[in-house]
Each structure stands twice: as C-alpha cells, then as structure tokens.
Amino acid sequence: MNKIENKKVSFITLGCKVNQYETNAMSNMFENAGFEVVDFTEKADIYIINTCTVTGMSDKKSRQMIRRAKQINPNSIICAVGCYAQVSKDVLEKMDEIDLILGNKEKKDILNKVCEYLTNHKKCVEVSNLKDKNIYEEYDGKAYSSHIRAEIKIQDGCDNYCTYCIIPYARGPICSRKKEDILNEIKCLCENDIKEVVLTGIHISSYGKDLNSFSDNLSQEELEYRKNHYIYNYGLIDLLEDISKIEKIKRIRLGSIEPRLITKDFVERIKRLDKVCNHFHLSLQSGCDETLKRMNRKYNTKEFLDIVNLLRENIKDVAITTDVIVGFPGETDNEFETTKDFLTKIKLSKMHIFKYSKRKGTPAANFSNQVDESIKNLRSDILIDINNKNEEAYASKYIGKEIDVLFENELEGHTTNYIKVILNKKRGEEKPKIKAKSTTFSKQYDDIVNKIVTVVPDYYKDGALIIDKFT
C-alpha cells in the first residue's frame, strides 16, 4: 500500500443511479485507503470510468470518457468498469488507453486490482459470467453521499428479459440485499443529516424474489398471482414499512418500478406511509399492446391505465412518470398513433422519451422491420411535445399554492412529487431571501440548504416552478 502515497484518483459515472451508488462506494474505498479523490477534469494518476451500455450512445460516451481521461493525463492508469465492460470487453481490450477492465462482479475489488497494477504494471482483464451469480455482494466502502438525497441500492440484476434490453446480460439474475444491511446503511446516512433516500436497483420491484420468496401452502392460482405482482414473503412494500420506522429519515423515494407491482393491497399499505414520496415512475415503454407483446412486457395498456387510476384515486397529488421507446422494430404508423393517443389521454406528469437502440445479443436486434432513424426522430419529437405540455399542466396546478420543498442547494429543490422548484435570484443578491410559511421556519432566512420548507411558487418556466417574490 506504500505505492498509494500522494496518488490521485478520479471517477466518472455514466448511466443509472445504481452506477452512481457503486461509484460512491468505490470512491469511499479509495479515500479510506489514502488516495486523494479529485474531480474528473483534474489531472489524476488513476481514472475510473464506470461505464453504461443501455444504448449505443451509452457505449459511445463510455469510450469518449476513456479517451478524454487519457488526454488529461497521458501517463495515467485507466480503468474501465461496469456494464459496458461486462458485455463488450472484447471491444475495450482493443483500446490502447485502457489498463484495467473489470466486470460488474469484479467492480467491488477495484481497490486491490489498482494496487496490484501499481506494483506489477500488468494489464488486467477480469469479467465473470454472471449467470451463476446468486447472492448480493456488499462493497467494503459504504456509498456515503455528501448530498441532501442519497441513493440506496437494494438489489441487483433482472430476470425479465425484455427483447430490447441488454441489462439482464450486463447485470445477471436477481440478487436482493439483506434488509439488515439496507437499514443499517440508512441509519448511518441519518447521522450525516441525509433527509431523503432513493431506493434504487436494476429491478427493485423484484426485491425479495430470491429471499425465501413464497410460502409452501399456496394454491397454484395464488402462487401465479403473487409471482405476476411481485408479492413475496418479504418484498418491497415490507422494506418500505421498515425504512419508514427510521425516525430521522424524512422522505423515501422509489426508483423505477413495474406497473404490476401496484395492486390494491400495495396501495392500501403505502397510503399509511407518510414518508414515502407521492411519485411513482412506472415503466410503460409503449402505449400500443402489439408493440408491448414484441417487447415481452407483461401487461397491456388497459392494465396500465387501471393502475394509474388506482394511484390517482388513492394518493393525494400523485405524480406518475414513465419511459417510452419510439421506433421499436415493427412499430408501424398505426402503432405509433395508438401510442400517441394513449399518452395524450393518460396525461402523465412526465415522460422520458427514448429512440430504440439496437443492442447486440438481444432478440429485438434480429427482428425484421427495423425503423429508420429519421422516423424515430420524428416520432420522438412528437412525444416530447406531448410531454412538455403535460409536464407544464401538471406542475402549473401548484402555482400560488403552498408546497413543501427539500432544497438541495441555495437556489433549487424538489417537492415530494418531484417537481423542481427554483428561487429566482435577484440582481445584486449573493443569496435569494425568502419568507417561508412553515412550522419550522417563520422568519426571513438565507440558509435553506437541506431543509424542507413550505413555499408558494409564482409561475412555471422551462420544467420548473419559479419563486419570484421575496416578501
């Protein structure tokens, strides 16, 4: 370990919140070992690129970051880790810039691998087959976040195998984290004054599937129902109930979930948990049943609409967001029109629109009737326009009304239903000053960071509610 004296290490994260969590954990490991962690734009001795492979653009960005790191310091050690490394190590092995390639299982050993390289200077390529991975592997370094909001990884892997998705191949099967480890990490975060935790994973709806999933005395019909709706002996809703008992946590936010997780029983139980944010990101992907079948999604649009209505009828001010893919192979003009009409009718509070990206190794990559890029672009623009109107209509309902905001910095924060709120800084002011109507604050004050404050927004602009009047 004497090789680490005065060594600087830098991280860059591409992709999802799971990657960000794992980067935080790796960074913590290096810092505890005596490395100095610096910004990616600074000159470092070691650069660790936590890659993503969800789309072709993700692959491209991963390669770009690898080359950029080498440009910043041509003598640096370059480590490519994560999902792109897991599924495309043969591509990365051809890049002269890279010294270490580690798959997702090996990522947790990166500190040892880097220290070995500092001693022997031998190129390292370690990428395991994830098919046999069956236990959740903890990182030595906790993923402490210095921010107001902290991601908590509760599981890894996915067993759904949607036809467009490379992630089951990059992450392996479902592995749920022990509830004791999750709860202990959250309690540690509370000591650092974290107010909000975001439960994240590759497929958090499946949490508990691999942990003594079902009772032995269930009928076949009941067993199938439970499997289809992610109801396990100890599942996500049970975990939410246990986290809610941790006194110092003020908000619990869910990552992306499967629509079929939302049942009447789930809603009845979650209604009683005041700390759980009224924001549900339900993965839709298409508003056309024929397209959903080709995607191997396990629901139809009627079921999705029923789930949305169930949430709207039971959860006050609920925000329902989603992901939609345009240009999936075989998506005809009629199918797209069906999706467009469905999304116009359902009026979700926010939609993330993605153009289908062919992923080698997935069934959809070999489907006939691949859609031309120009058509994807056109369809994407149409749905983005619908989203912009829906997003503004949803957020604008709160203009002139009292809303609670957790401020992440001096200028902006988010509501429980994940609307961004911005303080419009006045010219000549170092910090905007506001009077907040709140049980906690009743006087004019400057320091709002990491506080939940009741404010009244004045108008909506560019995806956020704006507070303009400081009275």
Side-chain angles (χ1 to χ4, degrees):
M1 286 285 185
N2 59 338
K3 293 280 185 182
I4 70 175
E5 284 186 21
N6 302 317
K7 293 293 185 185
K8 295 181 178 181
V9 61
S10 180
F11 294 84
I12 187 74
T13 308
L14 296 104
C16 65
K17 286 184 171 66
V18 174
N19 263 11
Q20 186 59 62
Y21 174 91
E22 292 169 348
T23 295
N24 290 342
M26 289 187 287
S27 176
N28 188 280
M29 290 162 57
F30 276 84
E31 198 165 17
N32 289 342
F35 288 81
E36 181 184 354
V37 179
V38 300
D39 189 83
F40 188 75
T41 57
E42 295 184 36
K43 186 176 181 179
D45 302 290
I46 303 131
Y47 290 92
I48 297 170
I49 296 89
N50 198 357
T51 63
C52 176
T53 192
V54 70
T55 65
M57 183 57 69
S58 303
D59 292 352
K60 182 178 179 181
K61 287 181 179 178
S62 296
R63 295 191 299 270
Q64 287 174 340
M65 291 301 105
I66 290 165
R67 294 190 178 104
R68 185 176 299 175
K70 202 66 173 178
Q71 289 169 358
I72 297 171
N73 182 4
N75 297 317
S76 62
I77 299 167
I78 304 295
C79 313
V81 304
C83 291
Y84 188 36
Q86 182 68 43
V87 300
S88 300
K89 73 178 178 67
D90 53 333
V91 175
L92 294 180
E93 282 182 287
K94 296 174 184 176
M95 294 184 67
D96 295 333
E97 294 91 344
I98 300 176
D99 302 294
L100 292 92
I101 301 171
L102 302 179
N104 275 319
K105 189 174 182 180
E106 291 72 26
K107 207 187 282 189
K108 64 182 177 59
D109 299 320
I110 188 164
L111 176 61
N112 291 333
K113 299 301 178 185
V114 167
C115 289
E116 287 175 11
Y117 185 88
L118 288 170
T119 301
N120 60 32
H121 301 286
K122 291 182 180 178
K123 185 165 184 172
C124 172
V125 179
E126 292 191 14
V127 179
S128 301
N129 187 325
L130 296 179
K131 287 183 179 179
D132 299 326
K133 179 183 173 187
N134 56 11
I135 59 169
Y136 183 93
E137 295 173 327
E138 292 283 345
Y139 281 74
D140 290 337
K142 292 303 179 186
Y144 167 66
S145 171
S146 60
H147 302 294
I148 315 308
R149 180 182 295 113
E151 287 87 19
I152 302 294
K153 184 181 173 188
I154 66 169
Q155 64 83 231
D156 208 335
C158 179
D159 297 337
N160 276 7
Y161 288 94
C162 300
T163 58
Y164 54 82
C165 188
I166 193 69
I167 299 306
Y169 308 93
R171 285 284 179 170
I174 296 292
C175 297
S176 301
R177 190 179 181 188
K178 292 179 182 177
K179 72 171 181 178
E180 293 82 6
D181 292 331
I182 297 169
L183 297 175
N184 286 337
E185 183 172 5
I186 294 174
K187 289 172 184 176
C188 289
L189 288 168
C190 288
E191 298 307 312
N192 292 290
D193 205 25
I194 294 294
K195 296 287 195 303
E196 179 178 316
V197 292
V198 184
L199 304 192
T200 190
I202 300 304
H203 194 263
I204 66 171
S205 298
S206 293
Y207 178 80
K209 179 180 180 179
D210 54 322
L211 302 175
N212 189 25
S213 307
F214 305 106
S215 302
D216 295 331
N217 57 351
L218 296 175
S219 68
Q220 189 61 36
E221 183 180 5
E222 178 66 13
L223 181 62
E224 286 303 312
Y225 178 83
R226 286 175 173 257
K227 285 180 178 180
N228 289 336
H229 295 280
Y230 308 98
I231 302 170
Y232 310 120
N233 282 343
Y234 188 90
L236 182 59
I237 186 64
D238 304 287
L239 181 63
L240 286 168
E241 288 172 342
D242 282 341
I243 296 172
S244 292
K245 296 172 187 174
I246 300 175
E247 186 177 347
K248 291 185 179 179
I249 283 297
K250 304 304 179 186
R251 289 183 177 181
I252 305 164
R253 193 175 297 279
L254 286 169
S256 178
I257 56 177
E258 283 288 330
R260 289 178 301 149
L261 175 74
I262 308 298
T263 62
K264 289 182 179 179
D265 180 67
F266 184 93
V267 171
E268 284 302 313
R269 291 172 71 178
I270 211 165
K271 278 167 62 176
R272 298 193 285 266
L273 306 178
D274 294 338
K275 294 181 181 181
V276 176
C277 292
N278 51 344
H279 170 219
F280 297 87
H281 188 84
L282 305 179
S283 186
L284 172 61
Q285 307 304 353
S286 176
C288 174
D289 290 341
E290 288 75 14
T291 311
L292 288 171
K293 286 178 186 176
R294 292 198 304 279
M295 290 178 165
N296 195 33
R297 301 295 289 170
K298 306 294 176 34
Y299 51 82
N300 58 43
T301 51
K302 182 185 182 304
E303 290 169 329
F304 189 91
L305 180 59
D306 289 343
I307 289 162
V308 168
N309 288 335
L310 179 65
L311 287 170
R312 285 173 171 169
E313 289 164 5
N314 286 276
I315 309 293
K316 183 181 178 183
D317 294 330
V318 67
I320 301 171
T321 58
T322 199
D323 301 317
V324 179
I325 296 172
V326 296
F328 187 75
E331 183 184 63
T332 63
D333 289 342
N334 286 339
E335 287 186 2
F336 174 71
E337 286 297 317
T338 300
T339 289
K340 185 185 79 169
D341 292 344
F342 181 74
L343 295 174
T344 302
K345 171 186 174 184
I346 203 169
K347 288 185 171 60
L348 300 175
S349 52
K350 188 176 180 66
M351 303 184 296
H352 301 277
I353 311 300
F354 298 93
K355 289 172 276 191
Y356 169 73
S357 178
K358 185 189 290 189
R359 312 308 293 132
K360 183 181 177 182
T362 63
N366 298 317
F367 285 1
S368 59
N369 300 319
Q370 297 285 329
V371 178
D372 187 80
E373 287 299 318
S374 62
I375 296 175
K376 291 181 192 176
N377 291 336
L378 179 62
R379 291 175 180 174
S380 175
D381 289 343
I382 291 170
L383 295 193
I384 288 172
D385 183 59
I386 293 172
N387 171 69
N388 291 343
K389 292 173 181 175
N390 289 347
E391 190 176 352
E392 180 173 1
Y394 178 78
S396 295
K397 294 188 297 184
Y398 300 95
I399 294 171
K401 296 180 180 179
E402 293 184 359
I403 53 174
D404 288 342
V405 180
L406 174 60
F407 281 91
E408 291 113 36
N409 57 53
E410 294 170 353
L411 293 176
E412 65 180 58
H414 286 83
T415 61
T416 54
N417 46 1
Y418 213 59
I419 303 172
K420 182 186 285 188
V421 178
I422 296 176
L423 302 182
N424 191 6
K425 182 178 176 181
K426 284 189 175 182
R427 185 177 298 175
E429 285 184 338
E430 290 185 9
K431 297 178 182 178
K433 300 178 188 292
I434 65 171
K435 277 187 178 178
K437 285 190 173 183
S438 171
T439 55
T440 309
F441 301 98
S442 58
K443 61 182 180 179
Q444 195 175 58
Y445 63 95
D446 294 327
D447 185 14
I448 59 173
V449 179
N450 199 22
K451 292 181 174 67
I452 297 174
V453 181
T454 305
V455 296
V456 179
D458 296 295
Y459 58 92
Y460 175 91
K461 182 181 179 182
D462 298 332
L465 290 172
I466 312 296
I467 300 171
D468 200 28
K469 298 170 185 174
F470 307 101
T471 57

